[in-house]
Amino acid sequence: MIGEQYLLLPGPTPIPDRVVRAMSKPMVNHRGPEFKKIITRVTEEIKQIYHTNQYVLIYTASGSGALEAAVVNFISPGDKVLAVSIGVFGDRFAKIAETFGAQVEKMQFPMGQPADPDAVIARVKEDINGEIKAILITHNETSTGVFNDIKKIRSGIKDHPALFMVDAVSSLAALDLRMDEWGLDVVVSGSQKAFMIPPGLSFLAFSEKAWQVHQKVSNPNFYWDVSNGLKYLEKGQTPFTPAVSLFQGLDEALQMMQEEGLENILLRHKNYRNMVRSTVKAMGLQLLAEDEHASTAVTSVVSPDGIEADIIRKFMLEKFNIVLAGGQQSLANVIFRIGHLGYVRQLDLLAVLAALEITLSKLGYPVKKGTGLIYAQDYITDRL
Ligand SMILES: *Cc1c(COP(=O)(O)O)cnc(C)c1O
């Protein structure tokens, strides 16, 4: 018997039974009192996760939808934009800005490395006339498993007037982020990563400063219009029919998150990262990211010489029903990625790491079984 699937992707992530049951509740009127209660409650709770007292809107869309919302609401055609990219999602944010007519200057860092904060700060400091209107940056680059030190970068650029816009789709609730304290203007997140619900909702948080910029923005805008969104939110509604069932699931997931506590959730993700990394290292495998910049959401493992990453993934799927992510672009078939965010238990990771060790030895990689696993066991033991 092969049993249920271990879904260890960096999104979509496993869904708790409680959330599944909440999503199968009867449909409600999206312009009625039940929905009003839900949207009011979840919006307030999401603000706590962002650490913001400013604006949050929830869209029925995948994460990229809210990235597009960030661009069309706060950037005008012709605006100069500095896009910092360390991988696939940094490229995507830049591409969306370009699509809507921004003059994008890209700062590209090699895949597997974070952005150099000093280089970004120096570039922004050169802009003494304030020509750069927005800085786009990824918090956690899911394609490589590297996170950017956005706090340091933001504090280094001080009072430069550009809006600081962050893709936090895979980091919010997995990695510390404090929107107001750090001075972030626009922060995008999504449902299918650390929020433990299916794909289909995304979140757009924005500052008072961004709201002021929005008043003068000239990009055409319909579905994403934040003015309209805020107007409806006051009535406890969305401008268009929302994914009601996903809101019901979100309500339950946020309840679970409150029960666990945000600090505990962040610590759990940090522990998962450290456990996976120490185990994989002990197996003799190479990790793509250095310890200092390693994501708490996903770990990229470099496939050993002579064994294709996709062969490892295929074996894990066929023999153990374990789903791991592959590499993207230049990292395709070079790395595999173990997602460890959202509703994942340490015993799930223990099982997956044990299966990885078996897989590697079956594929001819010289690892003595138990060599890595003992690190995972010790890691858990030390924290009991
Ligand atoms: C998942 C993800 C997105 C959004 O992707 P969608 O497929 O549109 O939900 C954006 N940025 C990052 C960093 C992500 O991990």
Side-chain angles (χ1 to χ4, degrees), residues 173-246:
L175 187 62
D176 196 29
L177 180 146
R178 293 161 186 273
M179 177 166 162
D180 293 356
E181 192 186 316
W182 295 357
L184 314 177
D185 291 298
V186 178
V187 186
V188 172
S189 198
S191 58
Q192 80 272 29
K193 310 278 165 97
F195 282 85
M196 310 186 290
I197 66 169
L201 294 181
S202 47
F203 317 132
L204 180 72
F206 52 99
S207 66
E208 194 57 48
K209 179 172 151 189
W211 173 242
Q212 296 307 325
V213 169
H214 170 74
Q215 311 305 318
K216 294 181 210 119
V217 158
S218 58
N219 243 320
N221 191 355
F222 184 76
Y223 188 77
W224 309 115
D225 185 0
V226 295
S227 308
N228 208 21
L230 288 178
K231 207 167 73 195
Y232 274 85
L233 183 60
E234 251 176 58
K235 300 189 282 186
Q237 296 178 19
T238 50
F240 315 103
T241 315
V244 174
S245 307
L246 291 177

Side-chain angles (χ1 to χ4, degrees), residues 62-65 67 89 92 138 140-142 167 169-170 192-193:
S62 86
S64 304
L67 290 175
F89 290 102
R92 183 179 300 179
T138 320
N140 181 72
E141 179 51 72
T142 319
D167 172 352
V169 175
S170 62
Q192 80 272 29
K193 310 278 165 97

Side-chain angles (χ1 to χ4, degrees), residues 346 374-384:
Q346 58 185 6
I374 193 166
Y375 279 80
Q377 291 173 317
D378 281 347
Y379 198 85
I380 294 173
T381 311
D382 292 347
R383 274 153 199 82
L384 289 178

Side-chain angles (χ1 to χ4, degrees), residues 233-368:
L233 183 60
E234 251 176 58
K235 300 189 282 186
Q237 296 178 19
T238 50
F240 315 103
T241 315
V244 174
S245 307
L246 291 177
F247 271 84
Q248 289 169 323
L250 177 63
D251 199 13
E252 188 67 25
L254 288 166
Q255 178 64 41
M256 288 178 70
M257 289 166 84
Q258 287 209 328
E259 287 164 17
E260 186 176 359
L262 187 56
E263 289 309 310
N264 293 330
I265 294 171
L266 298 181
L267 182 63
R268 179 163 61 81
H269 283 87
K270 208 179 258 182
N271 284 337
Y272 290 172
R273 170 192 64 191
N274 295 348
M275 172 179 155
V276 169
R277 289 176 67 83
S278 59
T279 306
V280 169
K281 269 189 216 168
M283 291 178 197
L285 297 182
Q286 198 195 327
L287 296 161
L288 185 69
E290 283 168 15
D291 289 343
E292 250 184 293
H293 318 291
S295 168
T296 51
V298 56
T299 295
S300 295
V301 183
V302 181
S303 198
D305 273 350
I307 305 178
E308 290 176 32
D310 289 350
I311 299 289
I312 294 173
R313 292 172 55 227
K314 186 162 177 273
F315 192 96
M316 298 277 278
L317 179 64
E318 284 174 1
K319 303 293 180 195
F320 302 114
N321 206 9
I322 291 171
V323 181
L324 302 176
Q328 292 164 283
Q329 291 174 359
S330 60
L331 296 173
N333 217 4
V334 172
I335 60 165
F336 59 90
R337 293 174 297 151
I338 304 173
H340 37 75
L341 78 168
Y343 192 59
V344 175
R345 298 184 311 163
Q346 58 185 6
L347 285 185
D348 297 336
L349 292 173
L350 196 64
V352 167
L353 291 165
L356 177 61
E357 223 170 46
I358 297 168
T359 301
L360 288 168
S361 73
K362 270 285 194 190
L363 294 177
Y365 176 76
V367 61
K368 192 165 159 288

